[in-house]
Amino acid sequence: MQIINTVSALRLALKHQAKIAFVPTMGNLHAGHIHLVTLAKQQAECVVVSIFVNPLQFGAHEDLANYPRTLEADCEKLKAAGASIVFTPTVAEMYPDFDGVNLNQSMTITPPAIADELCGASRPGHFSGVATVVLKLFNMVFLNGAQQCFAVFGQKDFQQLFVIKQLVRQFNLPIQIIAGETMREESGLALSSRNGYLTAEQRLQASQLNTVLRNIVTKLKANHTNFDALELEATAILNAQGWIVDYISIRSALTLSRANSSDSHLVVLAAAKLGNTRLIDNIEFLR
Ligand code: PAF
C-alpha cells in the first residue's frame, strides 16, 4: 500500500490504472469505513482511500480543530483491508490558493436547495464544502486516464450521498456512485467518528436515536399517515431523555423532499446533540 501526499505523485501512481474505486474519508476510520473499502475492492483492484479533514465543510463554531486525526492507525487498518493507495494531502495541496489562514477557494459548488434543509439548515455551507472537495478529489483520482470509475459513500450520511449523486448527475461525471450500508453497534448506534466524543454514560444512551427512528418506521409501515405527529412525538421523547434535537424528518428517499402519504420509498432522518456531540442517523425503507 502506497501513502501519497501530493496530487502529482497521485496522478503518476494512477496513470496506468484503467479501473479505480475510490473511498473519500476524513480519517479516524472505523468498521463502517472499512466496509466501504470492502465494497470498493469488489469493484476494482485499485482502491484509493483519501484521508483529508476538509476545512471548507466545517462551520466557524464546529469541531475542525478537534476532529480526531489518527493517521497511523488508519493506515494500518487500510493496509489490512487491502487498500492500494492512501491519499493524505495537506490543506495547501488541496487548496492551491491557501495562504496559511484563508483557503481562498473562490470557485465552489452550489448544491441543490434541498441541501439547505435537514443538516444544511444548521450547518450553512456544509454541503457546498462537501461537494466542492469531493469534485476536487474526483478530479485528482479519476482524471488520469481511468476508464471505469467508482466512488463509495456511506448511507449514514444520507443527505451527503444525495448531494453527491446530484453532483455526478448534473455535472455528467462518468463515475458510478456506490452506497455502503450503515454499520451499527449491537445497540443500534450507527458507527461514526464522532462517537469517540461521547462519555461512557452518553455512549449507553446514544442508541436512543436509532430506537426512535425504528419506532417511526414501525408506525409508518402500520399505515400511520400523520407524519408531523410522529416527528413531534419522537422529538419530545428524545428531548425528555436529555437530547437536543436538531430535526427528525420523514422524507421521500428519492427526492429528499417532505414525504406525503402516497410516497412508498421513504427515509426517516434525524440529527440530535447528546452533550456537545452531534449525531445523525437515518433509516431508508419501502412501505
Ligand atoms: O463523509 C465524509 O467523511 C466527508 O464529508 C467527505 C465525503 C470525505 C468529504 O470531505
Side-chain angles (χ1 to χ4, degrees):
M1 186 182 81
Q2 276 180 280
I3 300 174
I4 292 179
N5 316 110
T6 65
V7 179
S8 56
L10 181 71
R11 292 202 187 283
L12 199 63
L14 293 174
K15 204 166 145 192
H16 300 294
Q17 294 294 342
K19 202 191 225 191
I20 300 172
F22 174 44
V23 185
T25 82
M26 297 206 299
N28 194 234
L29 305 181
H30 49 67
H33 296 107
I34 300 306
H35 174 61
L36 304 183
V37 175
T38 308
L39 292 179
K41 276 186 72 73
Q42 290 168 7
Q43 301 299 332
E45 223 165 85
C46 177
V47 171
V48 179
V49 180
S50 64
I51 296 181
F52 178 66
V53 183
N54 172 36
L56 197 63
Q57 69 189 71
F58 285 78
H61 304 293
E62 294 184 351
D63 55 346
L64 173 63
N66 300 328
Y67 197 85
R69 285 152 172 95
T70 54
L71 185 59
E72 216 175 299
D74 290 347
C75 287
E76 274 169 31
K77 289 177 191 165
L78 291 173
K79 195 172 174 191
S84 321
I85 293 177
V86 182
F87 179 49
T88 61
T90 60
V91 173
E93 190 68 16
M94 284 301 292
Y95 293 98
D97 292 322
F98 177 55
D99 58 12
V101 180
N102 295 309
L103 298 177
N104 293 314
Q105 178 73 27
S106 47
M107 298 185 74
T108 54
I109 297 289
T110 304
I114 200 78
D116 296 331
E117 300 182 21
L118 302 167
C119 284
S122 57
R123 304 188 71 188
H126 171 69
F127 289 111
S128 172
V130 169
T132 301
V133 81
V134 167
L135 182 61
K136 286 159 75 74
L137 288 164
F138 283 173
N139 290 340
M140 293 166 189
V141 172
F142 295 127
L143 287 191
N144 307 292
Q147 301 297 307
Q148 284 181 275
C149 308
F150 303 89
V152 190
F153 292 84
Q155 257 178 324
K156 186 180 75 75
D157 298 289
F158 195 92
Q159 193 178 11
Q160 169 172 283
L161 179 63
F162 185 85
V163 169
I164 301 298
K165 283 181 179 166
Q166 291 292 102
L167 174 80
V168 165
R169 183 179 161 77
Q170 295 194 4
F171 284 90
N172 307 83
L173 304 178
I175 300 169
Q176 190 178 320
I177 300 298
I178 292 161
E181 191 194 331
T182 303
M183 296 285 111
R184 299 183 180 280
E185 291 187 356
E186 226 171 279
S187 65
L189 173 66
L191 298 192
S192 162
S193 298
R194 290 192 167 96
N195 291 353
Y197 297 147
L198 298 169
T199 63
E201 201 182 319
Q202 287 169 340
R203 200 155 184 128
L204 290 175
Q205 216 193 320
S207 60
Q208 289 165 345
L209 188 62
N210 183 247
T211 304
V212 295
L213 292 185
R214 279 191 285 116
N215 287 342
I216 292 178
V217 172
T218 305
K219 288 178 181 164
L220 288 171
K221 284 186 174 170
N223 274 331
H224 277 246
T225 47
N226 191 341
F227 297 164
D228 289 349
L230 291 176
E231 291 167 358
L232 285 172
E233 184 191 29
T235 302
I237 290 171
L238 283 179
N239 284 341
Q241 288 167 333
W243 294 72
I244 299 170
V245 174
D246 183 354
Y247 64 80
I248 294 180
S249 195
I250 301 165
R251 301 268 166 152
S252 154
L254 303 177
T255 62
L256 260 195
S257 48
R258 290 194 74 81
N260 60 54
S261 49
S262 64
D263 289 322
S264 56
H265 189 174
L266 298 177
V267 57
V268 190
L269 309 104
K273 266 182 150 185
L274 197 49
N276 291 325
T277 307
R278 186 176 185 278
L279 299 178
I280 59 172
D281 199 356
N282 68 79
I283 302 176
E284 181 185 3
F285 65 101
L286 292 167
R287 61 166 192 157

